[in-house]
Every structure is written in structure tokens, then in C-alpha cells.
Amino acid sequence: MLDKKKLAALIVAGVLIVVGLTVVITLGLSGGAGKQPAAEPVTVSPSASAAATAPTDLELTTEEMTIFKAAGEAAAKFDNRPESAMKPADYVKAGFTESLSNSYKPIWAGLFAGRADQSSARIESQVGGGLGGTGVLKQSLKVLDYSGSKPGSYTIRVAVDVAWVPQEVKPAPGKQMGGSAQSGNATWTLTYDQLSQRILKVEQPAWQDLGAEGLFDAMGLPVPTKGADTAAQGGTK
């Protein structure tokens, strides 16, 4: 049996151990409560970074605007006379790629080509107004979107507002070429490659978007219904 002194010593030792554990736990809890959680790093998602630069923020250079002017006018132009008709070399000169130049057909070909009564018909086109100037030209061009890793290597899609005027178009019997048949405005959309400095693609307006209702009427033709296929006759390559 333990004598009273040993028993007393054991009891004291036990009390000291309990007190020590209590102090350690208390200090641990109070220390943890005083610390603030570390702030998580702020990351920007790729979508947020892309949204910071809207497509319309891209500014075309003067040289690029000149290319869009020449290409837009060439795309909207038409001449039914064989000796002065637009040829692949003319489209190349206007900035088209050779592939596009060889396959391109203006939408007007579906209206005039092959018609003996319209053998001299032609459509003149203009981008940027008669007075010209960078400021006026800029108003006729709208950047729709672009892609690429850095400036100088972008592929840019631009809407080009083109004014067109018919020449030597013969009206149908009892009709007159006047008023709204004399001119119109429409949008040709061009895709441009900055590296090659070439037009890769032309999206032509639909028949209904040519602003040519007066011209159709003067020629005694109905305006094509919505959804008419312009790819076959107007070439969208």
C-alpha cells in the first residue's frame, strides 16, 4: 500500500499535469483566434481579360482604311461590257487574294449578266463619299470583330458602307430610271489579314439589303423574297 506521502505526491503531480495541459490548450486557442486568414490571390479569368478589349477598340491604320476602300468599291462594282468588266487581275489589284479573285462574282451579276437588253449596264461604287478624306472614310468603315495573338497579325472583319449608282441600265417598257432607282447604299463585309495585307473573304449584302427596290421596279422585276440564296449568284467566298 502507498503511504500518505507518496499518495499526496501523486495527487500533486496529477494536478500539475492537468493545469499544464489547460494552459497549453488555452494559449493555442487564443493564438489561433488572433491570426487573420491569408488573403486569396486575385485572378482574372481569360473571359474577363478578353472583355477588357472590345472589338471596336481596334483602330484601323490609314493604309488599312485605304485598302478597305479599294476592296469595297471593287466588290460592289459591276460592268456588263466584256472589254471593261472586272477581271481577276482587277480584284487582285484591289487587295483580294488570288484565290478569292478567281472565284468572286458580284451580286449584280445575278441581275445583269447574260442579258442582251442590259449589255451596257454597269454599277459604279464609292466608299467614303465624293470628297474623300480620312475622317469621311472612317465613318464608312466599322470593325465588327478581329482575332489573333498580337497587333500586326490580326484577322479583321470590317463592314464597309458602299454607295452604288447604276449606269446605262435600261428600264422595262412603261418604266423610268429615276428617283430611288438612281442610287442606293449597302454594306459589304470584308475579312482582312494584316500579315499578308490581303482581303480573304467578301460577304455581300442580301438582295433585300441592297437598297435596290427602285431599281428592281424600274426593270420590271420583283424584289427577291427574304432568304433568297445570294451565295450562288453573288459569291461569298
Side-chain angles (χ1 to χ4, degrees), residues 10-229:
L10 289 174
I11 292 173
V12 171
V15 170
L16 291 175
I17 291 173
V18 171
V19 171
L21 289 174
T22 302
V23 171
V24 170
I25 293 172
T26 302
L27 290 176
L29 291 175
S30 61
K35 292 182 180 179
Q36 296 296 327
E40 295 184 0
V42 177
T43 58
V44 180
S45 65
S47 59
S49 299
T53 305
T56 50
D57 289 340
L58 179 66
E59 290 288 338
L60 299 174
T61 66
T62 302
E63 292 75 15
E64 288 171 344
M65 287 193 290
T66 301
I67 291 173
F68 280 112
K69 173 180 170 62
E73 290 176 346
K77 187 177 180 180
F78 177 79
D79 197 324
N80 217 19
R81 300 169 298 179
E83 68 276 10
S84 53
M86 292 290 290
K87 299 174 179 61
D90 297 317
Y91 291 124
V92 170
K93 186 177 180 180
F96 291 25
T97 63
E98 288 192 13
S99 175
L100 178 60
S101 299
N102 289 324
S103 63
Y104 185 74
K105 275 187 175 183
I107 189 172
W108 303 110
L111 187 62
F112 298 115
R115 293 185 54 168
D117 63 325
Q118 301 292 349
S119 59
S120 297
R122 62 187 186 275
I123 299 291
E124 300 296 339
S125 58
Q126 190 173 71
V127 176
L131 297 178
T134 303
V136 177
L137 176 57
K138 187 176 182 180
Q139 294 177 7
S140 300
L141 307 175
K142 180 181 179 182
V143 176
L144 299 178
D145 54 64
Y146 64 93
S147 60
S149 59
K150 59 182 179 180
S153 64
Y154 289 146
T155 298
I156 312 170
R157 190 164 165 264
V158 174
V160 183
D161 182 41
V162 185
W164 55 265
V165 179
Q167 301 286 340
E168 302 297 327
V169 176
K170 292 184 178 180
K175 299 285 187 176
Q176 291 185 346
M177 289 294 297
S180 61
Q182 293 182 337
S183 63
N185 278 78
T187 299
W188 274 255
T189 302
L190 311 181
T191 300
Y192 171 76
D193 176 54
Q194 284 187 318
L195 286 175
S196 65
Q197 298 183 338
R198 287 284 162 183
I199 302 297
L200 306 178
K201 181 179 180 181
V202 176
E203 298 170 64
Q204 303 197 67
W207 291 106
Q208 302 77 24
D209 298 327
L210 278 170
E213 290 81 1
L215 178 61
F216 275 93
D217 181 67
M219 295 176 66
L221 299 172
V223 177
T225 58
K226 193 68 176 177
D229 181 15

